[in-house]
Amino acid sequence: MKKITFLVMLLISVISFAQSESTSFEEPEAIGGDYTDTGDAIMAHDLIDNAGEPFVNFPSTGEELGFTASYAPYDTPGVGLTDGDSVGVTSFAPDGNYPFPDGVQGYKISDVDGNFILEFDEFVTTSTGPSISLYFFITETGYEGDGTVNESGSDRLRIYIRHIEEGTEYDIIDTTGDDINDLGIEGQWINSSVSLPSSYDFPDLTFQLVIEVRCNASTEAFFFDHIQFDESLGLENNSQKTFSIYPNPASNGYVNVTSTSSGVKTVFVYDVVGKQVINTTISSNKLNVSKLTSGVYIMKISQNGILSTKKLVIK
Ligand SMILES: [Ca+2]
Ligand SMILES: [Ca+2]
Ligand SMILES: [Ca+2]
Ligand SMILES: [Ca+2]
């Protein structure tokens, strides 16, 4: 019994941890001054953090998401970040008077003279309705070009989510094809979000947020803050009433999965660390769970477009 209680507590902590992954760039220390890339501006390479300069990377310590920065040159390479640029984690808000929407720090990318790529930690979810939102700020200045070529004077901002297993990309914003000045989105904090495919369509969901900036002037600056993945695990929603599972706890090697409507049911079962242990369809009510060891599991049942998440205990 004690073991069960412990597992339930562990499960609850896993769920609450999984419900929101975020960064507001508050954890790394904000260091003033410029960042100077010591790498070769002609070659694509990862950017390293330099002592006494703003952090461009952040390995997560378990709270905020971590991120890593890299650089890719123009087709005709420029000086990149080797000339010293205002990039990385900063406490200086845009134009000095547009406070960060969350906390007192954010991330700035400016005067790259090439391409700056900021990749965040991959995020695993079994959610039925994940989404991601963030704030960005584009300074008001004369951006050039329409971003369709990888050259100086072809400024561009692209923020997107990679679905790792599928290789699909979901744009939050992509200015390619437009002069950034023509979009009317400068000089203000903009909150933008994108809905991601749900575990109803894909049982394996690993996402990664990527920010790409191409620009070539110190007045051309992009700020980012309050990045948040949101999940709805559906534990409280109406679909709960559609399905029942019994016996629960189960000890006979099977559970009955019943529904208020007829038709084939798809059933996924995950262990406490989120590993999928069952992925099957059943046309009757009986689900074979004989291969599951004692413990607490999350069962997801979908039928006719309705998806529900339930807790299953195997004795
Ligand atoms: Ca912040
Ligand atoms: Ca530069
Ligand atoms: Ca420019
Ligand atoms: Ca322009």
Side-chain angles (χ1 to χ4, degrees):
M1 194 61 192
K2 265 187 175 167
K3 190 180 176 191
I4 296 278
T5 306
F6 169 75
L7 282 170
V8 168
M9 287 174 66
L10 178 63
L11 181 71
I12 288 167
S13 71
V14 165
I15 288 173
S16 59
F17 176 73
Q19 273 180 329
S20 167
E21 289 276 344
S22 62
T23 182
S24 186
F25 305 103
E26 301 297 311
E27 287 196 336
E29 182 189 358
I31 299 172
D34 286 348
Y35 171 85
T36 302
D37 181 13
T38 54
D40 185 351
I42 292 171
M43 310 283 290
H45 58 272
D46 290 338
L47 298 171
I48 57 166
D49 289 318
N50 300 322
E53 297 185 356
F55 286 102
V56 292
N57 306 295
F58 176 63
S60 176
T61 58
E63 295 292 325
E64 293 193 330
L65 280 174
F67 46 84
T68 56
S70 60
Y71 160 84
Y74 296 132
D75 292 344
T76 310
V79 293
L81 301 150
T82 61
D83 56 339
D85 292 306
S86 183
V87 299
V89 175
T90 181
S91 59
F92 288 99
D95 296 344
N97 55 2
Y98 292 92
F100 291 105
D102 187 60
V104 294
Q105 297 183 184
Y107 199 98
K108 181 180 181 182
I109 304 175
S110 172
D111 201 4
V112 183
D113 296 308
N115 299 275
F116 196 103
I117 301 121
L118 189 61
E119 295 176 298
F120 292 80
D121 288 349
E122 292 181 3
F123 176 61
V124 179
T125 175
T126 56
S127 168
T128 59
S131 66
I132 184 167
S133 66
L134 85 167
Y135 284 82
F136 63 89
F137 187 107
I138 303 173
T139 54
E140 289 183 89
T141 187
Y143 294 90
E144 302 98 26
D146 64 2
T148 54
V149 290
N150 182 31
E151 295 290 354
S152 176
S154 188
D155 303 318
R156 187 182 82 131
L157 169 66
R158 185 174 178 225
I159 308 172
Y160 61 98
I161 315 294
R162 277 191 192 123
H163 180 180
I164 299 295
E165 288 88 356
E166 297 291 313
T168 322
E169 296 174 350
Y170 298 87
D171 283 335
I172 292 179
I173 182 171
D174 183 2
T175 68
T176 308
D178 289 297
D179 183 324
I180 291 171
N181 300 121
D182 295 342
L183 298 173
I185 55 175
E186 307 146 272
Q188 57 191 309
W189 280 107
I190 292 177
N191 185 218
S192 196
S193 65
V194 65
S195 294
L196 299 169
S198 83
S199 55
Y200 175 71
D201 301 306
F202 298 100
D204 296 309
L205 292 174
T206 309
F207 295 115
Q208 181 179 38
L209 171 66
V210 184
I211 295 174
E212 294 181 4
V213 166
R214 184 192 304 142
C215 67
N216 64 333
S218 60
T219 50
E220 295 168 354
F222 301 82
F223 294 82
F224 307 93
D225 195 22
H226 202 196
I227 291 162
Q228 186 153 12
F229 284 86
D230 292 307
E231 297 192 76
S232 43
L233 280 165
L235 286 168
E236 305 295 338
N237 66 26
N238 284 336
S239 64
Q240 284 297 97
K241 297 171 192 154
T242 306
F243 304 105
S244 302
I245 52 175
Y246 65 91
N248 190 17
S251 55
N252 296 329
Y254 72 92
V255 289
N256 291 293
V257 182
T258 63
S259 168
T260 54
S261 57
S262 59
V264 169
K265 295 178 280 274
T266 304
V267 180
F268 306 105
V269 178
Y270 302 86
D271 66 14
V272 286
V273 295
K275 183 178 171 234
Q276 190 180 90
V277 290
I278 291 177
N279 174 357
T280 189
T281 56
I282 52 172
S283 47
S284 68
N285 291 339
K286 215 166 215 181
L287 175 71
N288 184 342
V289 293
S290 59
K291 70 171 185 177
L292 300 184
T293 56
S294 296
V296 180
Y297 297 85
I298 291 285
M299 178 187 288
K300 299 172 70 176
I301 311 149
S302 76
Q303 182 189 42
N304 304 329
I306 298 170
L307 190 143
S308 181
T309 305
K310 290 179 178 294
K311 185 175 73 185
L312 169 69
V313 178
I314 304 290
K315 269 191 172 170

